[in-house]
Amino acid sequence: MVTGLWVLVATLVAAVAAGALLRVRNGRVRAAKPARDLPAPVTDVLDPASAVTLVQISTTFCAPCRHAKAVLAPLAERTDGLHHVELDVTNSPEVAQSLSVLRTPTTIALTPDGRELLRVGGVPKGPELLDALRPHLTTRTS
């Protein structure tokens, strides 16, 4: 009886710790991954007219993906040089694998030539993301 109680307490402590860690990491802007060849579905959605394209990696039944879109789409609409696309990888997991995406939503900020600037796992925080992107949104010369 006492052993079962200790197992229950240890399990609850581990679950609370894991939940706290996930909450802290959710929506945090992280440095870009090393350069790699982008899969065709990603290069096809890059906007050459925008300084930055936010590629949101989503799946069909991902509830947080809808929240991420609700943050990113209006942010892109009101920010010059910023474009947002949602890429559903439900039927093409190889795209997520080639981008080293382990969870959805993941948002990757890319330049028109496909260089990764940063990425966000989970639902992004709009103001924090915009602050991180500001240096890349300066007027481009063609």
Side-chain angles (χ1 to χ4, degrees):
M1 176 79 172
V2 173
T3 302
L5 182 61
W6 283 113
V7 169
L8 177 63
V9 168
T11 303
L12 288 173
V13 168
V16 168
L21 178 65
L22 285 174
R23 179 170 285 210
V24 167
R25 293 189 65 188
N26 190 41
R28 188 181 70 184
V29 175
R30 294 177 299 173
K33 296 276 185 178
R36 67 175 67 85
D37 290 332
L38 295 175
V42 176
T43 57
D44 292 346
V45 299
L46 292 177
D47 182 7
S50 296
V52 177
T53 299
L54 297 175
V55 179
Q56 177 188 332
I57 308 298
S58 299
T59 52
T60 303
F61 298 107
C62 168
C65 294
R66 291 187 286 277
H67 296 292
K69 184 177 181 178
V71 170
L72 296 173
L75 185 68
E77 287 174 11
R78 68 176 184 265
T79 307
D80 288 337
L82 189 60
H83 180 68
H84 168 254
V85 292
E86 185 177 12
L87 191 61
D88 187 331
V89 296
T90 302
N91 296 318
S92 52
E94 67 279 358
V95 172
Q97 183 179 12
S98 70
L99 294 171
S100 301
V101 171
L102 300 176
R103 68 184 277 201
T104 57
T106 292
T107 304
I108 304 173
L110 298 165
T111 61
D113 62 356
R115 186 172 50 90
E116 183 175 329
L117 301 172
L118 57 87
R119 61 174 57 205
V120 179
V123 178
K125 298 171 180 91
E128 183 181 318
L129 178 60
L130 194 54
D131 285 345
L133 290 174
R134 218 174 287 289
H136 306 285
L137 295 174
T138 57
T139 305
R140 295 177 41 217
T141 56
S142 299

